[in-house]
Amino acid sequence: MADVQTTSQAILVVGGGMSGITAALEAAEAGYDVVLVERNPYLGGRVTQLYQYFPKLCPPNCGLEINFRRMRQNPKVRFFTMAEVASISGREGDYDVTVKMAPRYVNEKCTCCGKCAEACEAEIDNPFNYGMDKIKAAYLPHEFAFPMRYILDPSIVGTDQGKKCLDACEYGAIDPDMKETTFDLKVGAIVWAAGWNPYDAAKIDYYGFGEYKNVITNVMMERMAAPNGPTGGRILRPSDKKEPKNIAFIQCAGSRDENHLPYCSGICCLASLKQTTYVRERKPDCDIAIFFIDIRALDRLEDFYVKVQADRKVAFIKSKIANITEDEGTGNLILEGENTRTGEQILMNFDMVVLATGMVPNRIELDAAPDVTHDEYGFFTNNPEQPGIYGAGCVRTPTDVASSVQDATAGALKAIQSIARR
Amino acid sequence: MDKKTAVYICTGCGIGDVLNIEQLKEEGTADFGIDVIKDHPFLCGQEGVDLIKQDIEGEGVNTVVIAACSHRVNYDTFNFGRDVIVQRVNLREQVAWSQAPKEEDTQMLAQDNLKMGCSQAKDTDWVQPYKAEEPYSKDILVVGGGLAGMTAALEAAKAGYRAVIVEKEDKLGGFLGRMKSTVTLPYKALSETGAAQLIQKVEDEPKIKVYTSASVEKVSGGPGLFSVDIKANGNSATERIGAIVQATGWVPYDANKLGHLGYGKFKDVVTNVEMEEMAAAGKITRPSDGGDVKNVLFIQCAGSRDPEHLPYCSSVCCMVSMKQATYVKEQNPEAVNYILYKDVRTVGQSEDFYRKAQNDGNVFIRGAATQLGEAGGKLFVEADDELLGEKIKIEDLDMVVLAVGMVPASRPETTPRIKAPADAAGADENGMIEVAPDSGFFANSALHLAYRQGPELPTLKYGFPDSHFICFPYETRRTGIYTAGCLRRPMETAKAIEDAVGAAMKAIQCTEATAAGKAVHPRAGDMTFPEFNMQRCTQCKRCTEECPFGAINEDEKGNPLPNPTRCRRCGVCMGACPERIISFKNYSVGMIGNMIKSVHVPEEDEKKPRVICLICENDALPALDMAGIKRMKWSPYIRFVPMRCLGSMNLVWIADSLSRGIDGILLFGCRHGDDYQCHFVKGSELANTRLGKVSETLDRLALESDRVRFEEVGITDYHRIPGIIEEFMKKIEEVGPNPYKGW
């Protein structure tokens, strides 16, 4: 299937999120051959899991659609989903890369008719919704998935359920015998745009994530607010599926903290501010408290902070919450900390708590990889002494979408320079 | 080329179950002279594609109408090369998946869709890319020789492109050259600015030509064909340029406006810029008496995050003050620095530098200064300390540093005024009107574009000529002209460097695309361009005024002078022209008019209304697709006509539709207004404005204004579409059938 022929004049982009897509397109539109490799069954990465962007409160799919259209009509970009880089060897201008493609068990004949999902009875935790709901084991990753093609979870392949899917498909699109494949690429430069993972909030044991149902993270809140999310766009307490009357946002949860992530992830303040608008849209009388150390709304994003400050039902309380416990009867959370402004002890009760957790970069971790530099936090460092592989987006520094796109555009040029130097 | 057209209908995905295919084949293609009409149960499969290929090779078919799924899928499958025109007709999402099976109305809908497709295919001509007579340039002009400017030029050169830097000072370096140190990755300590090395690299690079003590006198032409007149040291030069990066930087906020913080009153109150220059010159001393500096207080957000001064945050001042506190301590380890702040904004890994600044013993106070005064030759500051919850007084200060913000070089001191157009409101007694910030006449001079819509880049907010799009941060409103560095947004050196590299990438890309006759974002790769039939032009100037990108100039008589390389191919000009003289090879007023005319309008007694929906293909059409994918249902009486942008809507389509008996017209497009989503900036807004003028047409035809409506439909609004349609159809039922039916 992947008879990819590339020369060392080609660029490899690892990661098909906003940064990867941008790097690939910008280089391709300048006339260069690009191969884009994405681990998920769809392109778009983490931005597809956002409901809206700050500060415009616009849908991520709008920009993604334009990018997919650019991709559709540009023969110079070839992208592969279900694909991961297995090894990289060589040097600037002459890399040998091996890519492994995991089987999707669904081939190009898929028309997204949905019959396999109808027939399948097995369910899995929905990865797109951070496990907040279940989805059939034969599924479309999300409604705007690009490429638009179903996928079978490996757990049902070779089982009765797998056979049900096979039988239900009229187009011969189900292929339970699909195997992992490997192909080799020769490229001149690599852009590493592998993105990030949310920090594991369970590690912040004094916040009770994982233990207390109604403590969720910012990325989970984002899914809840999305109409294509686990609750159809309604913000509900996980324990009893009721609308919370009040919500606490805890900023810097596990960030700016030498016991967790010492750095600041840059966008969590704005993300929480944005999420207050989600709440306000759905429940005009919900009380919101934001517990913060500093509110980081840089440059003209300050306007967005001013806008949310005008919301009378959002209280900004300068405090680092020290402890969260649960009121078992109600499922409510009890927050304890010091109000740094008044010096008083805080003891407040909330229906739901959102932990604004940070980003952990996906560093290059391959058995065989050339020398690259990561800082002590795992962020990729573009080292002038190690040209040829360039980090772009949140692998390099935690940041917002506009900056990731800017960074990826820069990454595309650096990759082109590596090829032009040959 | 003579057209030999074939129609292929896919009966898979349920299409065959919902429609009478034989009837569709006959009635959907009648009168179009289609040579070949076939159907297949699985057209996107190998067999189906081979069938089409055989006809192309064997029968000489060169125009293919594919009536099947959405154009957004199987795009690679149904691609037969440049010489074959492919027209997609949606029978799946818009018919089979959203309509009632085997109903007459569904059949009529499918037939109309196919007829519109055949009509569109008939009017589509092969594309000839634009090629200018003069040779194209791929050189990059960089206006501004500071960090961003020098970086953009060097990065372009490293990729093999020639760059020209125009710098107004007598040497390169900009503000970077006036700094003592910088703080950048990994943010553990101060770093050298690297200014001297960077300047040397630029001067040594053979691909870069530098003009200092220079300014741009004029830029004419367009991407690939810019002619730039430069004046340097009294000499003139002209450069042929492909694309431009404006990196003219910033100026510090005028601290004279901060008298309440002691500036101008006390000599020892300085700005962060003055502090930096002092440090770079050698030693930080008290300005009043040259004495040693032991106690310094930094007031953050001086005139920033303040609606009375600069409402925005300049993002770097927190780190700059910490940097300067380090200078003070380097000079005198016994020195004490106080930093009075609102919020400390050291994001990303720069949090490490904040941690270091705290560990160094600098005193961070969260609060606001209330009073500043002098006592015994030293300064004191009173403040409300938020964390202690009380008023404090810090005395014995040698210096107070006001951390002022950045103002982009583009921002004018006072809003310029121009001659008001005849019908403009708000003109003063001289007939002058204030220029809007997003006008090309607003910003301070830097480029002197010989463009009818003004000499400078439109600005977004607070005078920054930035893109409004989060996903496309480099897309200014002038094609081929990009901004970088603090001109675009206040940013630290690390970010300015990346920003400049990105801007160089966009500039290079633009030159390559333009030389190949292709458009850039958002219709990247499009090789059509608007052609003007000047014989019928009445010099009304609507196209020259309404083009969102200022692509059309004007001669003294008001004749439009198109510049195809400046064009984004949105078609707003085509929609604006009352004489319909503008067209693209595959998109024209006549084409859409014919499509609408091919829709069958049933007689009034059949009680089957007809509504045309002009739908923007960028966001609204994908939303419609999604509604179909979700198997939502809506009225079979509506016919969707995709538009490149709603701004390309020509009012003649509405007049024609209504006079043919079409009962209603809907427009589905992107959000406009302050937080606009329209990818062509003004398109959606213009369509809405033009609709306002439609009332004249409606009155003339004695029809109700309820028959025409604009609805904002974003890409995720698919769930609203059936409701919007239902509501509109109810309204159409209320106003009754169009009396012009059957005329």
XYZ file of all heavy atoms in Angstrom, chain A residues 26 29 54 56-57 62 65-66 69 72-73 143 171 256 262 264 294-297 299-300 302-303 305 340-341 375-377 396-397 403 406 414 417, chain B residues 13 72 75 155 188 305 313 343-346 348-349 351-352 355 386-387 461-462 466 489 495 498-499 506 509 524 618-619 626 630 676-677 718:
633
model
N 3.123 24.387 4.380
C 3.917 25.548 4.002
C 5.095 25.122 3.137
O 5.435 25.793 2.165
C 4.397 26.309 5.248
C 3.267 26.838 6.131
C 2.344 27.838 5.439
O 2.733 28.402 4.390
O 1.229 28.046 5.930
N 3.678 23.984 -0.363
C 3.228 25.084 -1.220
C 4.382 25.915 -1.740
O 4.220 26.721 -2.647
C 2.191 25.949 -0.491
C 0.845 25.234 -0.453
C -0.207 25.937 0.393
O 0.049 27.068 0.850
O -1.279 25.341 0.594
N -9.547 30.360 22.039
C -9.603 31.734 22.552
C -8.813 32.605 21.598
O -7.891 32.112 20.936
C -9.030 31.795 23.981
C -7.631 31.276 24.123
C -6.525 31.999 23.679
C -7.397 30.039 24.712
C -5.231 31.507 23.817
C -6.108 29.538 24.858
C -5.032 30.262 24.405
N -11.278 34.295 20.061
C -12.407 34.528 19.174
C -13.580 33.599 19.427
O -14.657 33.789 18.882
C -11.965 34.341 17.713
C -11.128 35.485 17.190
C -10.522 35.153 15.844
C -11.595 35.070 14.786
N -11.002 34.790 13.460
N -13.346 32.558 20.222
C -14.400 31.568 20.478
C -14.916 31.017 19.152
O -16.109 30.997 18.868
C -15.540 32.188 21.314
C -15.072 32.768 22.657
C -16.222 33.400 23.416
C -14.412 31.695 23.517
N -12.831 25.023 11.544
C -12.849 26.021 10.477
C -11.477 26.099 9.809
O -11.344 25.934 8.607
C -13.246 27.358 11.089
S -13.189 28.730 9.950
N -10.426 22.722 8.224
C -11.064 22.440 6.934
C -10.283 23.080 5.795
O -10.046 22.467 4.762
C -12.511 22.949 6.949
C -13.258 22.802 5.643
C -13.590 21.381 5.264
O -13.661 20.517 6.172
O -13.762 21.124 4.061
N -9.858 24.330 6.000
C -9.059 25.003 4.967
C -7.752 24.241 4.773
O -7.309 24.018 3.643
C -8.762 26.458 5.354
C -10.043 27.286 5.364
C -7.734 27.076 4.419
C -10.538 27.705 4.000
N -8.303 21.116 2.901
C -8.545 21.416 1.492
C -7.221 21.680 0.781
O -6.991 21.191 -0.325
C -9.462 22.628 1.348
C -9.963 22.805 -0.076
C -11.021 23.862 -0.160
N -10.479 25.203 -0.204
C -11.217 26.298 -0.107
N -12.518 26.203 0.066
N -10.651 27.480 -0.153
N -5.726 18.355 0.243
C -6.405 17.557 -0.770
C -5.906 17.897 -2.162
O -5.811 17.051 -3.027
C -7.915 17.796 -0.736
C -8.642 17.101 0.378
C -10.130 17.049 0.083
N -10.803 18.310 0.325
C -11.438 18.616 1.439
N -11.475 17.769 2.429
N -12.047 19.777 1.563
N -5.662 19.166 -2.392
C -5.335 19.530 -3.761
C -3.849 19.701 -3.995
O -3.428 20.225 -5.007
C -6.065 20.803 -4.151
C -5.656 21.975 -3.312
C -6.610 23.130 -3.508
O -7.813 22.947 -3.737
N -6.102 24.329 -3.446
N -16.598 12.914 14.525
C -17.457 13.160 13.371
C -16.785 13.923 12.238
O -17.149 13.784 11.096
C -18.739 13.846 13.800
C -18.508 15.195 14.427
C -19.780 15.765 15.013
O -20.807 15.056 15.017
O -19.738 16.910 15.465
N -19.256 -3.147 1.376
C -18.288 -2.627 0.416
C -16.957 -3.353 0.466
O -16.045 -3.008 -0.265
C -18.070 -1.128 0.664
C -19.348 -0.343 0.500
C -20.100 0.032 1.608
C -19.833 -0.043 -0.766
C -21.292 0.712 1.451
C -21.020 0.632 -0.930
C -21.753 1.007 0.179
O -22.937 1.671 0.032
N 4.358 25.143 37.382
C 5.137 26.130 38.140
C 5.458 25.530 39.520
O 5.490 26.209 40.526
C 4.357 27.446 38.301
C 4.033 28.133 36.989
C 3.239 29.428 37.177
N 4.023 30.432 37.847
C 3.555 31.620 38.189
N 2.304 31.953 37.908
N 4.320 32.493 38.802
N 7.885 22.145 36.501
C 8.386 23.433 36.996
C 8.040 24.603 36.076
O 7.988 25.751 36.511
C 9.906 23.224 37.037
C 10.111 21.750 37.010
C 8.973 21.190 36.214
N 5.795 26.832 33.117
C 4.421 27.303 32.928
C 3.991 26.877 31.532
O 4.774 27.004 30.597
C 4.402 28.824 33.054
S 3.027 29.652 32.243
N -0.901 33.850 39.024
C -0.854 35.027 38.148
C -1.772 34.696 36.973
O -1.820 33.549 36.553
C 0.558 35.268 37.587
C 1.572 35.637 38.643
O 1.518 36.793 39.097
O 2.387 34.777 39.017
N -2.446 35.681 36.453
C -3.242 35.429 35.241
C -2.392 35.851 34.054
O -1.986 37.007 33.944
C -4.564 36.217 35.250
C -5.462 35.746 36.389
C -5.286 36.048 33.914
C -6.086 34.379 36.213
N -2.108 34.878 33.198
C -1.178 35.129 32.101
C -1.904 35.254 30.770
O -2.009 34.299 30.013
C -0.114 34.024 32.081
C 0.717 34.104 33.347
C 1.825 33.117 33.481
N 2.756 33.615 34.517
C 3.844 32.987 34.923
N 4.169 31.814 34.397
N 4.609 33.519 35.860
N -2.384 36.465 30.536
C -3.058 36.754 29.262
C -2.191 37.760 28.544
O -2.336 38.962 28.730
C -4.449 37.318 29.528
N -0.130 39.900 25.563
C -0.384 40.904 24.509
C -1.870 41.197 24.346
O -2.538 41.490 25.338
C 0.399 40.622 23.220
C 0.012 39.365 22.439
O -1.190 39.126 22.221
O 0.913 38.631 22.037
N -2.425 41.103 23.152
C -3.806 41.576 23.037
C -4.815 40.586 23.617
O -6.008 40.874 23.663
C -4.177 41.934 21.598
C -4.084 40.803 20.601
C -4.602 41.308 19.243
N -4.646 40.241 18.255
C -3.688 40.009 17.358
N -2.623 40.782 17.322
N -3.793 39.017 16.506
N -4.983 40.160 26.584
C -5.416 40.870 27.785
C -6.885 41.276 27.637
O -7.641 41.273 28.616
C -4.527 42.101 27.990
C -4.942 43.026 29.121
C -4.676 42.457 30.504
O -3.885 41.497 30.612
O -5.253 42.973 31.482
N -7.292 41.625 26.425
C -8.693 42.026 26.190
C -9.652 40.925 26.614
O -10.747 41.188 27.115
C -8.942 42.315 24.703
C -8.272 43.583 24.240
O -7.862 44.400 25.094
O -8.149 43.769 23.010
N -9.133 38.694 28.937
C -9.149 38.670 30.395
C -10.095 39.758 30.902
O -10.938 39.512 31.767
C -7.722 38.872 30.917
C -7.551 38.927 32.419
C -8.389 38.222 33.279
C -6.507 39.658 32.981
C -8.208 38.270 34.660
C -6.301 39.698 34.351
C -7.159 39.005 35.189
O -6.963 39.042 36.546
N -4.371 34.443 49.432
C -3.136 35.205 49.595
C -3.398 36.689 49.809
O -2.604 37.385 50.408
C -2.242 35.015 48.355
O -2.610 33.806 47.699
C -0.796 34.921 48.748
N -4.526 37.138 49.300
C -4.811 38.570 49.435
C -5.260 38.918 50.848
O -4.770 39.846 51.454
C -5.897 38.982 48.435
C -6.142 40.474 48.417
C -7.018 40.854 47.257
N -6.407 40.468 46.008
C -7.018 40.434 44.847
N -8.277 40.744 44.758
N -6.394 40.080 43.757
N 15.636 19.798 26.404
C 15.988 20.450 27.665
C 15.557 19.543 28.819
O 15.007 18.452 28.597
C 15.416 21.870 27.748
C 13.906 21.925 27.934
O 13.264 20.892 28.221
O 13.349 23.029 27.810
N 15.793 20.011 30.036
C 15.532 19.114 31.175
C 14.054 18.773 31.332
O 13.693 17.860 32.053
C 16.052 19.772 32.468
C 15.166 20.891 32.951
C 15.958 22.068 33.465
O 16.416 22.887 32.630
O 16.134 22.156 34.683
N 13.198 19.521 30.632
C 11.759 19.250 30.755
C 11.250 18.378 29.616
O 10.082 18.079 29.523
C 10.973 20.561 30.778
C 11.456 21.509 31.844
C 11.830 22.810 31.530
C 11.551 21.105 33.175
C 12.283 23.680 32.503
C 12.016 21.962 34.152
C 12.381 23.242 33.813
O 12.836 24.102 34.774
N 8.466 22.087 21.324
C 9.573 23.009 21.528
C 9.331 23.906 22.738
O 10.231 24.180 23.530
C 9.743 23.857 20.260
C 11.180 24.160 19.908
C 11.238 24.949 18.619
N 10.498 26.194 18.658
C 10.917 27.291 19.266
N 12.076 27.316 19.874
N 10.166 28.373 19.259
N 8.115 24.398 22.848
C 7.751 25.243 23.978
C 6.226 25.252 24.074
O 5.557 25.296 23.047
C 8.339 26.667 23.805
O 8.131 27.414 24.993
C 7.697 27.403 22.643
N 0.709 30.669 17.889
C 2.164 30.567 18.000
C 2.676 29.241 17.469
O 3.768 29.178 16.906
C 2.599 30.715 19.452
O 2.134 31.931 19.972
N 2.845 29.622 13.795
C 3.990 30.482 13.477
C 5.270 29.651 13.564
O 6.113 29.680 12.668
C 3.999 31.628 14.489
C 5.275 32.405 14.585
C 5.431 33.041 15.975
O 5.117 32.451 16.989
N 5.914 34.257 16.013
N 13.240 25.988 7.940
C 14.493 25.377 8.388
C 14.712 24.042 7.672
O 15.834 23.716 7.260
C 14.467 25.147 9.903
C 14.391 26.429 10.672
C 14.765 26.232 12.137
C 14.511 27.483 12.926
N 13.353 27.389 13.813
N 15.863 24.727 4.221
C 17.272 25.136 4.187
C 18.183 23.917 4.228
O 19.210 23.881 3.558
C 17.590 26.036 5.378
C 16.978 27.404 5.263
C 16.988 28.122 6.594
O 17.300 27.546 7.631
N 16.636 29.388 6.557
N -23.793 3.604 -1.711
C -24.063 4.410 -0.524
C -25.535 4.758 -0.374
O -25.881 5.797 0.174
C -23.247 5.708 -0.569
S -21.515 5.403 -0.227
N -15.794 16.649 -1.081
C -14.762 16.670 -0.052
C -14.174 15.284 0.201
O -13.208 15.146 0.956
C -15.335 17.257 1.243
C -15.610 18.746 1.118
C -16.461 19.277 2.234
N -15.796 19.194 3.507
C -16.219 18.472 4.536
N -17.310 17.755 4.443
N -15.557 18.468 5.662
N -11.440 12.744 -3.477
C -10.891 13.775 -4.362
C -9.707 13.237 -5.151
O -9.456 13.659 -6.274
C -10.469 15.000 -3.547
C -9.662 14.630 -2.339
C -8.283 14.509 -2.403
C -10.292 14.353 -1.128
C -7.549 14.131 -1.305
C -9.557 13.969 -0.016
C -8.189 13.861 -0.107
O -7.464 13.491 0.980
N 17.513 34.061 6.873
C 16.867 32.762 6.679
C 16.462 32.576 5.230
O 16.526 31.476 4.690
C 15.668 32.621 7.617
C 16.038 32.679 9.089
C 16.874 31.502 9.539
O 16.615 30.379 9.089
O 17.803 31.708 10.344
N 17.986 30.435 31.856
C 18.613 30.208 33.172
C 19.429 31.418 33.602
O 19.695 31.614 34.780
C 19.547 28.986 33.110
C 18.888 27.721 32.629
C 18.005 27.119 33.699
C 17.618 25.715 33.298
N 16.317 25.330 33.794
N -1.932 47.583 30.173
C -3.123 46.943 30.767
C -3.973 48.026 31.422
O -4.530 47.841 32.484
C -2.691 45.888 31.800
C -1.893 44.745 31.213
C -1.499 43.731 32.273
N -2.656 43.121 32.898
C -2.598 42.263 33.910
N -1.428 41.899 34.401
N -3.703 41.766 34.432
N -1.177 44.071 26.913
C 0.018 43.694 27.668
C 1.147 43.559 26.662
O 0.938 43.006 25.580
C -0.244 42.361 28.362
S 1.209 41.383 28.770
N 0.572 41.122 37.566
C 0.705 39.665 37.419
C 2.100 39.450 36.870
O 2.573 40.268 36.085
C -0.292 39.087 36.396
C -1.725 39.077 36.873
O -2.055 38.212 37.694
O -2.501 39.962 36.445
N 2.735 38.383 37.240
C 4.033 38.087 36.650
C 3.790 37.150 35.474
O 3.222 36.065 35.619
C 4.987 37.409 37.658
C 6.283 37.014 36.960
C 5.279 38.344 38.817
N 4.190 37.617 34.295
C 3.853 36.874 33.077
C 5.093 36.312 32.406
O 5.514 36.762 31.351
C 3.053 37.780 32.130
C 1.694 38.126 32.746
C 0.841 39.008 31.881
N -0.549 38.934 32.353
C -1.578 39.586 31.837
N -1.380 40.382 30.802
N -2.794 39.455 32.340
N 5.653 35.299 33.062
C 6.799 34.615 32.447
C 6.327 33.222 32.061
O 6.298 32.308 32.868
C 7.962 34.511 33.446
O 7.455 34.046 34.706
C 8.633 35.848 33.643
N 5.903 29.624 29.705
C 6.755 28.573 29.159
C 7.944 28.312 30.052
O 7.858 28.379 31.277
N 9.068 28.051 29.431
C 10.278 27.771 30.205
C 10.841 29.029 30.865
O 11.727 28.942 31.725
C 11.365 27.124 29.321
C 11.011 25.738 28.793
C 10.595 25.756 27.337
O 9.804 26.612 26.913
N 11.100 24.827 26.557
N 9.611 30.703 33.007
C 9.294 30.610 34.437
C 10.565 30.351 35.240
O 10.699 30.800 36.382
C 8.288 29.466 34.659
C 7.843 29.257 36.085
C 6.923 30.350 36.600
O 6.352 31.080 35.772
O 6.779 30.461 37.828
N 11.520 29.682 34.621
C 12.803 29.425 35.293
C 13.502 30.730 35.636
O 14.169 30.834 36.673
C 13.727 28.596 34.387
C 13.371 27.120 34.391
O 12.531 26.716 35.224
O 13.917 26.368 33.566
N 11.962 32.219 38.648
C 12.403 31.484 39.841
C 13.788 31.970 40.255
O 14.069 32.219 41.422
C 12.427 29.986 39.540
C 12.373 29.112 40.770
C 12.148 27.640 40.429
N 10.811 27.390 39.945
C 10.504 26.936 38.729
N 11.440 26.639 37.863
N 9.252 26.757 38.378
N -1.049 43.966 47.780
C -2.175 43.027 47.764
C -1.974 41.871 48.716
O -2.912 41.396 49.336
C -2.332 42.458 46.360
C -3.470 43.057 45.578
C -3.711 42.303 44.288
O -3.898 41.078 44.346
O -3.677 42.963 43.240
N -0.761 41.380 48.765
C -0.557 40.163 49.545
C -0.495 40.430 51.041
O -0.925 39.612 51.843
C 0.709 39.435 49.079
C 0.745 39.164 47.564
C 1.929 38.296 47.193
C -0.540 38.499 47.096
N -5.703 45.560 15.536
C -6.108 46.204 16.787
C -4.903 46.931 17.354
O -3.777 46.433 17.253
C -6.569 45.128 17.773
C -7.819 45.517 18.502
C -8.305 44.466 19.443
C -9.524 45.027 20.172
N -9.953 44.210 21.281
N -5.150 48.099 17.941
C -4.100 48.871 18.588
C -2.956 49.225 17.645
O -1.838 49.483 18.082
C -3.535 48.111 19.813
C -4.611 47.698 20.787
C -4.751 46.374 21.181
C -5.515 48.630 21.297
C -5.749 45.993 22.062
C -6.526 48.262 22.162
C -6.633 46.929 22.542
O -7.624 46.547 23.402
N -1.677 42.940 12.008
C -1.607 41.498 12.197
C -2.792 40.833 11.516
O -3.769 41.483 11.143
C -1.626 41.201 13.709
C -1.129 39.800 14.040
O -0.763 39.054 13.096
O -1.118 39.445 15.224
N 3.123 41.835 16.833
C 2.632 41.687 18.212
C 3.821 41.904 19.123
O 4.924 41.512 18.768
C 2.182 40.258 18.503
C 1.016 39.708 17.777
C 0.810 38.268 18.184
N -0.240 38.184 19.186
C -1.353 37.467 19.030
N -1.535 36.788 17.936
N -2.256 37.423 19.977
N 10.931 34.700 20.416
C 9.757 34.585 19.576
C 9.914 35.400 18.291
O 9.474 34.982 17.226
C 8.552 35.068 20.365
C 7.262 34.534 19.888
C 6.380 34.012 21.008
C 5.066 33.523 20.400
N 3.924 33.864 21.194
N 11.759 33.333 15.695
C 10.910 32.325 15.035
C 9.907 32.996 14.111
O 9.609 32.510 13.029
C 10.152 31.483 16.078
C 11.018 30.623 16.956
C 11.922 29.689 16.168
O 11.487 29.149 15.146
O 13.091 29.537 16.594
N 9.371 34.129 14.566
C 8.385 34.846 13.770
C 8.971 35.275 12.430
O 8.329 35.185 11.384
C 7.884 36.075 14.540
C 6.539 36.536 14.057
O 5.706 35.671 13.697
O 6.294 37.752 14.030
N 6.832 32.334 4.395
C 5.636 32.763 3.668
C 6.018 33.604 2.462
O 5.433 33.492 1.383
C 4.697 33.557 4.570
C 4.107 32.782 5.720
C 3.276 31.595 5.293
C 1.980 31.998 4.634
N 1.127 30.848 4.337
N 7.411 31.315 -0.215
C 6.312 30.514 -0.762
C 5.490 31.332 -1.745
O 5.090 30.871 -2.799
C 5.459 30.074 0.398
C 4.352 29.128 0.054
C 3.425 29.035 1.240
O 2.521 29.840 1.411
N 3.646 28.051 2.081
N -5.086 28.323 -2.025
C -3.731 27.968 -2.442
C -3.777 27.002 -3.617
O -4.486 26.012 -3.588
C -2.985 27.315 -1.273
N -16.534 27.284 2.133
C -15.469 27.154 3.122
C -15.931 26.556 4.437
O -15.295 25.665 4.978
C -14.832 28.519 3.370
C -14.274 29.093 2.095
O -13.433 28.482 1.455
N -14.766 30.247 1.684
N -17.031 27.078 4.967
C -17.516 26.590 6.256
C -18.929 26.031 6.177
O -19.213 24.979 6.721
C -17.491 27.725 7.292
C -16.110 27.902 7.876
O -15.139 27.769 7.127
O -15.998 28.138 9.087
N -21.908 17.637 6.782
C -21.956 16.975 8.080
C -23.393 16.669 8.471
O -23.689 15.614 9.009
C -21.276 17.858 9.136
C -21.172 17.220 10.492
S -20.433 15.592 10.487
C -18.756 15.987 10.052
N -24.806 12.952 9.201
C -25.532 12.612 10.429
C -26.958 12.166 10.123
O -27.751 11.994 11.040
C -25.586 13.846 11.334
C -24.241 14.230 11.866
C -24.051 13.605 13.192
C -22.755 13.915 13.804
N -22.448 13.096 14.935
N -14.841 38.256 12.935
C -15.235 37.621 11.683
C -14.505 36.308 11.461
O -13.358 36.123 11.872
C -15.052 38.558 10.494
C -13.629 39.007 10.222
C -12.759 38.227 9.471
C -13.177 40.234 10.693
C -11.472 38.645 9.211
C -11.892 40.667 10.434
C -11.044 39.875 9.685
O -9.772 40.294 9.431
N -15.197 35.404 10.815
C -14.617 34.127 10.443
C -14.330 34.052 8.956
O -13.574 33.215 8.517
C -15.587 32.970 10.796
C -15.632 32.636 12.270
C -14.299 32.142 12.775
O -13.513 32.911 13.327
N -13.995 30.890 12.565
N -23.802 22.480 11.998
C -24.607 21.590 11.164
C -25.938 21.228 11.803
O -26.944 21.069 11.109
C -23.820 20.322 10.822
C -23.478 19.474 12.022
C -24.382 18.542 12.527
C -22.251 19.600 12.663
C -24.081 17.778 13.634
C -21.937 18.835 13.768
C -22.856 17.926 14.253
O -22.548 17.174 15.349
